[in-house]
Amino acid sequence: MTVWLRRQKRLIDYTVASLLRRAARNFALLAVYTLIVFVLATVMLFTHALRQEAMVLLDGAPEITVQRISMGRHDLIPASYVDAIADIRGARDVRGRLWGYFYDTANGANYTLMVPDGDRYGAAPDVGETVAGAGVARSRGVVPGKYLFLLSPRAKLFKLKLKDVLDADSEIVTTDLVLMAESDFRAFFDVAPDVHTDIVLKVRNPREVAKVAEKISNALPDCRVVTRGDILRTYDSVFNWREGILLALLGGAIFAFVIFAWEKASGLSAEERREIGILKAVGWETSDVIKMKMWEGAVVSLGAFLTGYVLAYIHVFYFSAGLLEPVLKGWAVLYPRFELTPQVDGVQVATLLFFTVAPYIAATLVPIWRAAITDPDAVMR
Amino acid sequence: MIVLQDITKTFNEGADNEYTAIHGVDLKIDADRVTVLRGPSGSGKTTLLTLIGGLARPSSGRIHVNGREVTSLPERFLTHMRREVFGFVFQSFNLIHGLSVLENVMIPAYPLGGPGRELNARAVELLETLRIAHKAGTEVQYLSGGEAQRVAIARALINDPPILVADEPTANLDTALSLEFLDIVRELRGRGKTVVMTSHDPMIWQADLVDAVVAMRDGRIVDSGVDPGGEGTA
Amino acid sequence: MIFHPTILALLIGSALSSVMVLAGAAFGVRVLRRWDIASGRHGQLVLERRTYLFSVLLAFVMVAELLSLLLFVFNADRMSAQFVGAMCAVGTLNANAFGFPALILKIAVFFLASVWLIVNHVDNMGYDYPLIRVKYAMLIVIAPVVLAAAGVQAAYFLDLDPEVITSCCGKLFTQDATGVSAELAGLDEKAALVLLFGSLALAGVVAAVHARTGQGGMLYGAVSVLVFVAAIAGIVSVVSLYVYEHPNHHCPFCLLKPEYGYFGYWLYVPLFAGTVLGMGGGPIAVFAGAPSLAEIAPRVSRRLVTTSMVCLTGFGAACAYAILSSGLILFGT
Ligand SMILES: Nc1ncnc2c1ncn2[C@@H]1O[C@H](COP(=O)(O)OP(=O)(O)O)[C@@H](O)[C@H]1O
Ligand SMILES: [Mg+2]
């Protein structure tokens, strides 16, 4: 075993030295390889992060959401519907919610205004008070105890005392939240007292979600019933589909890269040919040469993969995938926020390996073998 | 001892440019001796040397090395046998450019996976005996002809093979360096090594340390006598 | 079909493997017809050199298939969010009729490729290619399995429909369902444990005999397959219950999740390693019949069988640990 290890170490040392000796020649390959990994990794890291964000958001979402649809658009839902739904067997904790988006002309940011529901965000604010997300507090420069001024859509100025700031780290999705009391909310948006934005409920037995959803949509034909599972599945398949299409398009690039790698591996210089001939003549066996060359492939792949992946990681999580923006714009509509949480995922890394390293190695196997079977007596001529 | 029986080597068999370089050669090479293959250019010396050293296989015939039949060995085992038994010094030295003297010397030992420290010590020791240790760190492309040859000899001896094979060892050397080479061969013989070399240089095959001179012409052996200098014409 | 990068990657991987193995099988036919080590002909030399290529290709196939097997399972787990009724890999695999057959074929390909490499390794140690015909005949047999695995996997992915309501481990592995999985789960717990530890003990005895006398290599190969089957049955029917500390959760996949401390790896890594080494290492003892392997084959066989037994013992220890450290009590004291 130690002999085996030492032999591999020698072969690696040798191959690293010979790579460095031909650094200029190998640079082009390494650059292209790194670029391929970088582009693919960017797409995958980006979509994965988006998907994760969506999942986090949905994690706290209710099992069933009921929205009223009027003329094909989302409409406010009458409070009477809450009772209608509460009567359905299996439905639990039926509540009307109040929330809305608000464009703050003061600094051009979008806030989510909401009447807290339960104690997910701690104690609910009283009338005239607010609890805001860290992002809101920071951008408006308000600290607890001071006042947050908001100009309502009806151009009425609201003055809310900031009671507390939501913990910045605990939940990324809370950063743009502004929580307020129900009466303040209704006054701010001028919402009638007997309607809600939508209705949410829980279901006693998770296996009955589909059945309960069906009953609701039968009882309230003007409503759309969305289950958490529906949202998850839609998000997931939309993300997967987009990512898959992009990768299929990039398939062309991978193919070109494979051809390039094959070319590179087959087109040995006279110098390299001579070197392999010498190795064989002084006692290296064909499989030693193959192993040495495989190590070379492994070193190149590792270098390109790590560099490409790290660059993609930095690109996506520190520069919000700026280079891909024109291509990926469609996603921004679906999910507007762009502060992605760093995520590294094993399945994804393995997938990326299959897209880049596996084709590279496969493309170089035959050329490596060809080079390795050089006749040992070639150097005598 | 190496025994060749009815060895034929045909290049490009079956093609238009088919050429038979060795015709039915029978030859015995004794251990612990210095044997020289001589003959005019193109007579097949180099080809025969590659067959003796297991660098190539004969098209027909049998070769026994120390009693073992090697012609039908798979490549893998032929290589194993070769690196245990033979050390090669090539006509053009064939050192790997860009690597240091020391690295070049150690290369044949890499696939064996022996301990690194030991290998290093052995290489330095060989370079010292060959009086080239002061260049251990130099890249080989900067060496002179004589120095390159001594590095090539050190490389051939790194796995301590019993037989040293050299093809036209003095072809690229001047007279003074050729004499130095002969001194090295003498020393090796004194240490019990078998040396087989080719040469068309009378200075080599007339040297008194040569035990046997095998004369070749057109792929055949014309004289396999043991009396050096017996037949003075090339 | 669901268009998904990991699915694409798996399809690419198995396509590559298939091409390589097909080329290997075609070469195998030539070897069986023309191989003649005594010949110095050019054709023989070419054939001999090609064997290096196919060793490398098969090594690639094995690594690719191992990675692909892992990826297949993890991907199935990941995709469970997309199917109504799926909570883990079981639900996704169960979404159509090809899922589990694809998994089983992939495991088979991994085992076969590994056994081939073990035989190849031994063959390379004999000075006259003693097993060359055995090896390439094997490759010709393996090729259809690799193709089948690739085909069934492709069928599985092409046929996946997110609208389908599938059933997951909770439903599939219950006594009142039907099918192999239900049979496995329905296995009497005591019987399953006896089978599991009994087969391990049997393997231990055969390995000991083999180590001492060199006999029973072939038997050990067979026993390691038995151990594998008994182990999977044991995991599904009993061991999983202890890990989940739940009397009805019979899932072989959830074990790999972080919720259960990745305990599955402690079970599957030694189990797969032990099985592969046993399947390949045991039977090679019979090659001692070849003069050039007379001394090598038994030595390698002994070493591989011993290593295999160490792995299987590790697996047994992991099972025992799961049972003893669990809060669940299945059998009254
Ligand atoms: N690889 C080869 N292919 C074809 N012909 C060769 C090859 N190697 C050597 N020859 C021929 O074989 C003959 C003997 O060559 P060689 O052994 O190098 O002679 P020497 O070393 O005595 O000068 C020459 O005519 C040469 O052209
Ligand atoms: Mg010559």
Side-chain angles (χ1 to χ4, degrees), chain B residues 167-182:
Chain B
D167 190 23
E168 305 282 357
T170 58
N172 296 324
L173 305 180
D174 61 26
T175 315
L177 287 172
S178 298
L179 287 171
E180 244 177 68
F181 172 75
L182 283 175

Side-chain angles (χ1 to χ4, degrees), chain B residues 44 144 154 159 186-187 225 231:
Chain B
S144 72
N159 289 333
R186 198 185 316 277
E187 203 182 307
E231 193 200 348

Side-chain angles (χ1 to χ4, degrees), chain A residues 26-321:
Chain A
N26 292 314
F27 183 76
L29 174 72
L30 202 63
V32 173
Y33 201 162
T34 307
L35 181 71
I36 286 278
V37 174
F38 170 76
V39 173
L40 293 181
T42 300
V43 171
M44 292 175 77
L45 282 172
F46 187 66
T47 44
H48 183 72
L50 285 180
R51 186 159 44 215
Q52 286 306 109
E53 297 279 286
M55 296 292 164
V56 167
L57 189 73
L58 282 169
D59 219 30
E63 268 144 1
I64 295 182
T65 309
V66 182
Q67 298 173 333
R68 182 155 176 243
I69 302 295
S70 159
M71 293 179 291
R73 298 183 60 225
H74 179 192
D75 199 0
L76 295 171
I77 195 163
S80 63
Y81 282 29
V82 174
D83 303 327
I85 294 170
D87 286 345
I88 290 172
R89 259 174 64 94
R92 226 179 49 174
D93 284 351
V94 186
R95 269 173 317 191
R97 291 197 305 185
L98 283 170
W99 59 272
Y101 295 124
F102 169 69
Y103 179 72
D104 183 4
T105 41
N107 60 3
N110 267 305
Y111 300 154
T112 304
L113 267 51
M114 194 165 131
V115 178
D117 174 32
D119 52 7
R120 192 167 161 210
Y121 304 110
D126 293 326
V127 176
E129 285 183 348
T130 180
V131 173
V136 179
R138 195 173 341 102
S139 68
R140 293 295 292 268
V142 200
V143 291
K146 295 278 181 248
Y147 288 91
L148 177 70
F149 293 93
L150 294 175
L151 190 63
S152 88
R154 293 282 158 96
K156 251 172 68 190
L157 191 66
F158 273 69
K159 175 182 165 195
L160 298 167
K161 186 175 182 185
L162 188 63
K163 203 175 101 187
D164 201 1
V165 174
L166 291 167
D167 190 354
D169 304 325
S170 66
E171 220 168 341
I172 34 168
V173 286
T174 59
T175 185
D176 67 346
L177 269 186
V178 177
L179 303 179
M180 50 178 77
E182 181 172 344
S183 57
D184 285 337
F185 185 92
R186 290 188 190 278
F188 189 84
F189 282 117
D190 202 14
V191 180
D194 57 346
V195 293
H196 297 283
T197 312
D198 52 22
I199 296 174
V200 297
L201 59 139
K202 291 186 182 151
V203 177
R204 198 166 292 127
N205 180 348
R207 292 184 190 200
E208 284 176 7
V209 170
K211 201 173 287 166
V212 173
E214 194 187 324
K215 280 186 197 159
I216 297 173
S217 75
N218 285 342
L220 306 170
D222 63 342
C223 286
R224 182 169 76 164
V225 184
V226 184
T227 65
R228 188 165 67 195
D230 288 338
I231 304 175
L232 275 171
R233 270 187 291 287
T234 312
Y235 267 44
D236 227 27
S237 63
V238 168
F239 283 130
N240 287 339
W241 174 257
R242 293 267 194 151
E243 192 183 7
I245 292 280
L246 248 167
L247 288 181
L249 292 178
L250 291 172
I254 297 174
F255 189 68
F257 166 64
V258 163
I259 304 268
F260 180 69
W262 170 287
E263 282 263 297
K264 266 287 198 212
S266 321
L268 292 186
S269 65
E271 178 70 22
E272 279 169 290
R273 253 175 233 295
R274 180 173 164 273
E275 191 175 315
I276 292 175
I278 294 173
L279 293 177
K280 300 255 335 225
V282 301
W284 284 38
E285 214 254 313
T286 303
S287 60
D288 295 326
V289 178
I290 291 180
K291 272 178 211 140
M292 185 267 284
K293 282 291 202 179
M294 295 296 290
W295 279 120
E296 182 183 302
V299 169
V300 169
S301 297
L302 189 74
F305 195 85
L306 283 183
T307 317
Y309 196 82
V310 168
L311 287 179
Y313 187 93
I314 294 171
H315 176 215
V316 170
F317 297 118
Y318 295 93
F319 295 96
S320 303

Side-chain angles (χ1 to χ4, degrees), chain A residues 44 48 51 55 207 229-230 232-233 236-237 240-248 254 280 285-287 290 294 345-348 350-355 357-359 361-362 365-366 369-370 373-376, chain C residues 1-10 12-14 16 20 45-46 48-54 56-57 60 63-71 74-75 78-85 87 162 170-171:
Chain A
M44 292 175 77
H48 183 72
R51 186 159 44 215
M55 296 292 164
R207 292 184 190 200
D230 288 338
L232 275 171
R233 270 187 291 287
D236 227 27
S237 63
N240 287 339
W241 174 257
R242 293 267 194 151
E243 192 183 7
I245 292 280
L246 248 167
L247 288 181
I254 297 174
K280 300 255 335 225
E285 214 254 313
T286 303
S287 60
I290 291 180
M294 295 296 290
D345 172 51
V347 170
Q348 199 182 48
T351 301
L352 196 55
L353 280 174
F354 263 97
F355 274 112
V357 176
I361 300 285
L365 287 179
V366 172
W369 166 76
R370 281 239 175 82
I373 57 168
T374 307
D375 285 320
Chain C
M1 142 133 210
I2 294 181
F3 208 36
H4 185 292
T6 307
I7 291 178
L8 279 182
L10 285 168
I12 290 177
S14 56
L16 280 176
M20 288 180 180
L45 210 68
V46 170
E48 200 182 324
R49 291 195 168 152
R50 282 266 151 104
T51 60
Y52 284 97
L53 176 60
F54 288 100
V56 179
L57 292 189
F60 178 89
V63 174
E65 286 298 319
L66 175 60
L67 247 178
S68 151
L69 177 61
L70 290 173
L71 199 53
F74 287 122
N75 179 56
R78 207 48 73 76
M79 276 173 56
S80 58
Q82 288 176 52
F83 295 92
V84 180
M87 260 104 71
K171 224 177 254 171

Side-chain angles (χ1 to χ4, degrees), chain B residues 58-72:
Chain B
S59 306
S60 70
R62 296 269 168 255
I63 299 175
H64 293 261
V65 175
N66 296 332
R68 182 157 193 204
E69 211 279 309
V70 298
T71 16
S72 64

